[in-house]
Amino acid sequence: MGQAEIGGSVDAVLSSGWDSVRQRALLGAYGTDGVPQERATAESRVELLGRLRWEVIQGGVVFLTYTQLLDGAAFAVLRPAELLDELALRAVGGGAMLPVRVNSRDADLGAQLLAMLSRGFLLSSLPLSGERCRRLQHRLAEAGGGVAVPGADGPVDAVDRLLRATGELDPALRLRLVARWRDWLEAAGRGLLEVRDLAPADYATAYAVQPPPAPRELRSDAGRGVLEAWTGGALDVGGMPNRSLLYDRIEPLSRAADRAEHDDAELLRESFDETYYRAIAAGERCMLALAAPGAGCAGGKRRRSPGRCRW
């Protein structure tokens, strides 16, 4: 999304390529059975750093949503100190600081992490099978209300208590996960990572640029039913479309034996993801880079328009 699309100045780039599901697929391609690597190999490290460097060159600053950072398999294997050495091009102009900006409610990344997990979040960044990730999600939702209370020890320790209460992670993996989040929160606390308050997503601009699919573009009654729920507001939360609710409605179509329903699931997911990231980019006043269909995710065979980057 270029300046002409949202008006005014922009000083960061948001890429749908850093979507947490895409990050899982990217690191899963280097791992085993689609499970993300827990530690970067030389090959995957070169690819990740290459992508980030290119976006820094194009946009000056890489903008990440809090889920892209906190649940990103790439940002699980790349630590803040390492990225500071590799990406801090702005240090030449004064002040070593990551060329990365992240959004978070009330600009509080720790509270956002705790809130995210205590609601029962489906983590994509873990080196676990999808089935185990979904089981952890269920246990997080069960334990969240009674355990996820921040105390004097801070949000990361509250998150650690929550994860322990689920009983789903072995201690070594849990400690590595908590250490990763602590690294990023400490980077934010030291001013190495810019954290800004969430800006409202601008769906009006997103729909004006790229409307949802028309019913005739879908091949099944089930697909058209999901589209009606999306565009009719049945999946809205706080007056805005909710991605998790839409994904829940799409998931049965993805697993359907009917090819038409499966294709509709791909089209609906791709169309909504483009709308979702375009709305965030417009609200946060960022340039938008759209990943090509099928890049870092399964499917992507059918699309209304080619994958592209907008600067």
Side-chain angles (χ1 to χ4, degrees), residues 50-255:
R51 291 185 179 203
L52 286 166
R53 287 193 191 102
W54 174 245
E55 290 179 7
V56 171
I57 290 170
Q58 294 294 316
V61 172
V62 176
F63 176 84
L64 300 171
T65 67
Y66 66 85
T67 54
Q68 288 178 327
L69 177 68
L70 297 174
D71 187 35
F75 302 102
V77 299
L78 297 174
R79 295 290 191 263
E82 178 183 19
L83 290 182
L84 189 64
D85 289 339
E86 296 284 352
L87 301 177
L89 307 180
R90 292 191 298 168
V92 176
M97 182 179 180
L98 281 167
V100 176
R101 178 190 308 159
V102 63
N103 67 359
S104 180
R105 192 171 305 281
D106 299 323
D108 188 336
L109 201 57
Q112 187 72 69
L113 171 65
L114 185 56
M116 183 173 81
L117 294 190
S118 62
R119 289 194 298 266
F121 188 82
L122 179 61
L123 290 165
S124 299
S125 57
L126 296 177
L128 301 173
S129 68
E131 180 182 353
R132 289 191 63 190
C133 289
R134 287 188 290 273
R135 194 164 64 222
L136 174 62
Q137 178 191 24
H138 179 68
R139 296 286 184 259
L140 285 168
E142 286 182 335
V147 178
V149 179
D153 50 1
V156 177
D157 292 295
V159 165
D160 189 31
R161 289 196 302 274
L162 175 58
L163 292 172
R164 284 201 311 270
T166 69
E168 287 295 328
L169 299 180
D170 68 74
L173 175 57
R174 192 195 80 243
L175 290 173
R176 288 193 293 271
L177 180 61
V178 170
R180 177 240 293 191
W181 283 326
R182 195 183 303 277
D183 281 349
W184 283 108
L185 266 59
E186 287 179 353
R190 295 197 307 271
L192 299 179
L193 173 69
E194 182 182 4
V195 183
R196 290 189 182 180
D197 192 9
L198 285 166
D202 185 353
Y203 277 96
T205 293
Y207 287 137
V209 174
Q210 181 68 68
R216 65 177 179 277
E217 296 180 67
L218 297 164
R219 298 174 52 196
S220 69
D221 289 340
R224 285 185 284 273
V226 175
L227 175 65
E228 182 179 358
W230 166 16
T231 57
L235 305 179
D236 286 6
V237 173
M240 295 185 183
N242 183 275
R243 193 185 191 200
S244 296
L245 292 178
L246 181 67
Y247 271 32
D248 286 345
R249 292 288 297 270
I250 290 174
E251 183 59 27
L253 278 66
S254 300
R255 294 184 277 103

Side-chain angles (χ1 to χ4, degrees), residues 17-31:
W18 296 117
D19 182 272
S20 58
V21 175
R22 289 181 181 272
Q23 289 187 54
R24 179 178 176 85
L26 174 61
L27 271 295
Y30 289 101

